[in-house]
Every structure is written in C-alpha cells, then in structure tokens.
Amino acid sequence: MEHYLDNSATTVVSLAAAKKAFEMMTENYANPSSLHYRGMLAEQELEKARKAVAKQLFAQTDEIIFTSGGTEANNLALFGTAYAKKRRGTKIVTTSVEHSSIMESCKRLEQEGFEIAYVSPRQDGVVHTEDILAEVNDNTVLVSVMYVNNETGAIMPVAEIFDAVKGKKSDIICHTDAVQAFGKIAVNPKKLGADLVSVSAHKVHSPKGCGAIYIKKGVRLVPRTYGGEQEKKIRPGTEPLPLIAAFGVACNEFAIEKNYEKVAELCEYAKNQLTKIDGVVINSPQNALPYVLNFSAGKVRSETMLHFLEEYEIYVSSGSACAKGAPSYVLSSMGYGSYRADSALRVSFSKLNTKEDVDALCTTLAQGLKVLVHR
C-alpha cells in the first residue's frame, strides 16, 4: 500500500478538478479572447474561476491575475515592484528562509544594483517583526515575507510585520508568498496588510502549471512579459483555461476549518510517534502549520533514508522539492548544524492522509535507522 506524505511538493488532483480540466480541453476548448459564441463561453469559465480564487482571498475579481504558478507570481511581485519603484528607492527586505523563487529573484536584483536585506529567523524558527523593521529605511520599496515556510511549516507574523512596516513608511509595498498557506488557513490580504499575495494551484488538489497573484487596487507592477491584452497586460498570453478552470473548482472544494482540525490531530499523533524513536528530533516550531512536519532522523543522511522509505512505498521529501536534494538553507538559517540538517526529512500532509500513513512511516523509519546506521 502506498503512503504519500509529500503534499507540500504537490497534491493529487481532485476528481472534480480533473473532470473540469478534461471538459475544457475537449468540449469548451475555445480561446477566451475570441469574439464568437464559443469564445464567450470560454471567457465565462475564465471569470468563474477568477471569482472562485478571489472568494478564497477575500478579494475582488479584478485583483486576481492568473500566472503559471507560485514561482512566476513571486517573480512578478519582486521584479514588477522593483522596476516600478526604482526611482523612489532600491532596497528590498526579505527573509533568509524564503522559497527559492524569491531567493533567486533577489540574487538577480542584487546583480542589477538593488540592495537586498535577508533577515534570519530566531531559534523559534520565526522571523520577528523588530528584526524586519530594523532593516526598513527611506530607501526601502518592498518587504517580502512568506506566510508559511515550505520546509518547517513555521507561520510568520505577516500581519504584525506589515502593519509595523506601513507604520514606519506607508508607501512600501508588502508581499507575501502564501503558496503553503492557501487552502490550509485563511489568507485575507486586507487583514494581513498585504499589497501582493502569491498562490499556486497544484498545492490545493489542482493541476500543475497554474497559479495567481493578488494585486491590491492601485498597486502598479511592471510586467515581465509582453504581447497581448490578457490578464490586464500584466501577464499576457493565451490563458491555460483547462488549468485555470480546474483551479477554480479546487478552490470551491476548500473546507479549511474541517481539514485543519483533522490534519492538526494527525500531525500531533505523528510527533508523538516519531519522538518515541531513538535519534529522532523535531525541527518544526511548536506552533507551526500542522500540514508540514520537519524532523531529523539520527545519523542517516536524508537522501539515504528517503530512498529506504521509498522501497516501502512511503514518500516523503528531504526539504523543498525545488532544491532537488541540496542541503537546507532554511534549517541552517535557524541555527541547526550540518549534522541535523543533513538528516532532515519533511513530511507534509493533506486532507487525504490517515494514521495508517503515519504508522507506516514510523515503523519503517525505525527499521531504517537500525539498518542504515551500520552501512
């Protein structure tokens, strides 16, 4: 029996979302920009999906722009803001534990002359407001802080941070990468004080290749691509309507409170079972999002244990899927030494996981620690 525990990397597509994508590919397949009747039907589906995403972000439909995923949304937020604001300032404040799509964008912007401040979390795994605020000055134009860390599940105090930032300099643009939060906890840009919010479809039981960015009314972004009138010219190009329509269906299936309660119970059970195994320590903060659980497994390297578990059809990760097995800069930023980071594994749950998945993981992990440590 297979036990899939890598839902922060991607999720299984729901049957309803898959059916919708198939319908849009085989029946309602017209280009939504076409002026004829079939094009109008396609456009209706596009706007229906936009409305579904907007509803889950407590936003207006004209504040939602579809992208190819969270990575493009993050790139658009950073480059779009930096170029739009560069005459007013060139400093960007972010954290040292952001997703690679933020980190790599910042590196590129540094090469172009922008100043980037990377704020590290404290030992509790959370970036503190005063540490962000200390980096904000008159040259700052953008603050980007993720809502939930993709490796540890740490929930950042985004609302508190953005409120303090706006209090210090009201015209700073505030962006949050909410890819790991969307669909799991409420993401309300207004309550968070966020001008820009990035989300992704394939983390919420919808196909890969689609995402969205919330852009608060009045906020200007310089596009990264050019060519057409689609998506307000912010993200031109024919919309991938099968993916977008499926995303809308997946959003309509959200049951945030019900699923959170179930996953929180499952995560607590997993912590209790894992800490009974000699050599296992939990890396996720105490108040982390329960959908993500990071732990280190004794003296066995992450990749070695990952493949051992794989032999028993138990699928976990050694960190962010985008890192492709590279050492975790997130755990290093939290102050964990290489010994602990090198043996770290990430378990990530969805609404579909059960205690049987956790039991299989723990039994096989304990077996692996006995077998592999002597190899």
Side-chain angles (χ1 to χ4, degrees):
M1 181 179 175
E2 181 176 297
H3 303 279
Y4 183 78
L5 291 161
D6 195 19
N7 292 281
S8 285
T10 200
T11 54
V12 62
V13 176
S14 77
L15 183 59
K19 284 182 175 179
K20 191 64 179 180
F22 184 74
E23 173 196 326
M24 300 308 296
M25 287 186 283
T26 59
E27 297 177 31
N28 195 353
Y29 50 81
N31 189 319
S33 294
S34 295
L35 299 180
H36 48 63
Y37 175 70
R38 298 284 289 181
M40 181 192 71
L41 293 179
E43 184 184 19
Q44 287 176 351
E45 290 288 348
L46 174 64
E47 295 312 312
K48 185 178 174 182
R50 197 186 310 278
K51 184 176 179 180
V53 176
K55 181 181 178 182
Q56 294 299 339
L57 285 170
F58 305 90
Q60 300 299 312
T61 54
D62 61 355
E63 295 177 309
I64 304 300
I65 298 295
F66 287 112
T67 68
S68 65
T71 290
E72 185 184 7
N74 282 340
N75 273 255
L76 183 56
L78 265 68
F79 286 100
T81 301
Y83 295 160
K85 293 275 194 177
K86 63 182 178 181
R87 290 184 180 179
R88 301 179 69 176
T90 56
K91 184 173 183 180
I92 296 168
V93 180
T94 188
T95 82
S96 62
V97 292
E98 296 294 313
H99 186 265
S100 58
S101 58
I102 295 288
M103 302 298 277
E104 293 301 317
S105 295
C106 285
K107 287 179 184 177
R108 177 62 190 176
L109 285 167
E110 279 185 297
Q111 293 172 3
E112 295 181 20
F114 287 87
E115 178 189 358
I116 314 293
Y118 300 93
V119 179
S120 294
R122 297 189 187 179
Q123 203 156 9
D124 59 4
V126 174
V127 174
H128 286 236
T129 302
E130 52 266 40
D131 297 337
I132 293 285
L133 209 57
E135 292 290 348
V136 174
N137 59 27
D138 289 340
N139 193 40
T140 306
V141 292
L142 172 67
V143 172
S144 181
V145 179
M146 66 186 352
Y147 198 174
V148 173
N149 184 264
N150 52 301
E151 289 192 35
T152 67
I155 302 174
M156 304 301 174
V158 172
E160 181 184 302
I161 290 171
F162 291 169
D163 182 61
V165 166
K166 295 280 190 180
K168 189 170 183 178
K169 192 169 184 278
S170 62
D171 64 344
I172 290 176
I173 298 298
C174 292
H175 165 253
T176 188
D177 171 358
V179 166
Q180 294 295 344
F182 189 59
K184 302 174 179 69
I185 54 177
V187 179
N188 187 329
K190 293 177 182 65
K191 288 187 177 181
L192 294 175
D195 301 298
L196 305 169
V197 179
S198 303
V199 298
S200 178
H202 75 103
K203 312 292 187 181
V204 293
H205 305 283
S206 193
K208 302 167 189 65
C210 184
I213 182 169
Y214 159 87
I215 306 173
K216 182 181 177 180
K217 286 183 181 179
V219 173
R220 175 175 170 261
L221 295 183
V222 173
R224 296 286 287 154
T225 50
Y226 298 86
E229 299 292 325
Q230 300 93 341
E231 301 304 296
K232 294 184 175 180
K233 300 184 78 171
I234 294 171
R235 203 283 184 177
T238 302
E239 298 92 344
L241 197 49
L243 304 180
I244 290 173
F247 189 18
V249 168
C251 286
N252 287 331
E253 293 183 310
F254 285 4
I256 290 175
E257 292 182 9
K258 176 185 174 182
N259 292 337
Y260 187 96
E261 186 177 334
K262 176 188 175 183
V263 171
E265 182 181 329
L266 188 61
C267 183
E268 197 59 35
Y269 177 74
K271 285 181 185 177
N272 290 334
Q273 297 303 108
L274 284 166
T275 50
K276 290 177 183 177
I277 303 171
D278 189 38
V280 172
V281 291
I282 304 297
N283 297 324
S284 290
Q286 185 65 34
N287 297 319
L289 186 76
Y291 282 83
V292 182
L293 181 58
N294 192 298
F295 61 91
S296 292
K299 299 178 181 179
V300 180
R301 290 181 63 86
S302 305
E303 191 172 350
T304 304
M305 181 60 78
L306 184 152
H307 290 304
F308 181 84
L309 293 170
E310 180 188 18
E311 291 176 15
Y312 295 85
E313 295 185 291
I314 300 166
Y315 301 103
V316 301
S317 76
S318 57
S320 170
C322 296
K324 293 186 178 291
S328 171
Y329 60 82
V330 172
L331 295 181
S332 297
S333 292
M334 289 172 63
Y336 294 138
S338 59
Y339 169 80
R340 194 155 161 179
D342 287 348
S343 62
L345 294 171
R346 180 188 69 180
V347 165
S348 45
F349 302 107
S350 81
K351 62 185 179 181
L352 303 175
N353 288 119
T354 64
K355 286 185 177 180
E356 286 71 26
D357 294 320
V358 173
D359 290 338
L361 167 70
C362 294
T363 299
T364 312
L365 183 72
Q367 180 184 344
L369 285 172
K370 290 177 181 177
V371 172
L372 299 173
V373 77
H374 299 299
R375 284 189 183 177

